[in-house]
Amino acid sequence: NLQIVNGGQTTASIFTANKKNRADLLQVYVQVKLTVIQPEKVEVVVPRISEYANTQNKVSAADFFSNHPFHLRIEDLSRRLWAPSPYGGLRETHWFYERARGQYANAQANLTVAKQKEFLSKNPRFQMFTKTDLAKFEYSLDMQPHTVSLGAQKNFARFASEIGQKWEQNERQFNELYFQHVVA
């Protein structure tokens, strides 16, 4: 379960330099801090590493909750479950849940033109939604405009706290039916 907590841009740049630009990386060295975390502490420690180590770019509240099992499950459901064609045709589509910023664009980044067209036909841009969208939808449906109107990040912070508690009580409630209700 190795993951890059801080340094994703550096890693992506090195990958691109090697893959696309055919750069010679034999003399390139990157300083790494490897932290081994006990599995039961990952959900608490990893977001803190991100928060305290990331001083170059603003990290939003939504970013810290993106690895919670709730979001991993919603992401999985969004990739597995099919929705009727939005155009009344025969081709079903997915509602693409962007758990981490840039996933939708990254999923298409290295595709050929034909594969990108296929991806977009299965995952139309207008059917992509983010963590903050999900929080907004849930609280709007729950008739909490006073919470939604606080803005995306404050609304999401409350949503994350509430979902965390609900997950602890009964994580099975976040199933296919829950996902279908969210999308509907």
Side-chain angles (χ1 to χ4, degrees), residues 5-10 49-61 63-64 101:
V5 175
N6 193 19
Q9 290 173 332
T10 302
I49 290 172
S50 246
E51 182 178 3
Y52 300 132
N54 197 338
T55 57
Q56 292 173 300
N57 302 314
K58 183 181 181 300
V59 179
S60 69
D63 295 332
F64 295 124
R101 270 188 293 179

Side-chain angles (χ1 to χ4, degrees), residues 11-26:
T11 305
S13 296
I14 292 170
F15 176 81
T16 301
N18 184 327
K19 201 76 164 167
K20 289 188 177 178
N21 303 334
R22 308 260 189 255
D24 178 16
L25 301 177
L26 289 176

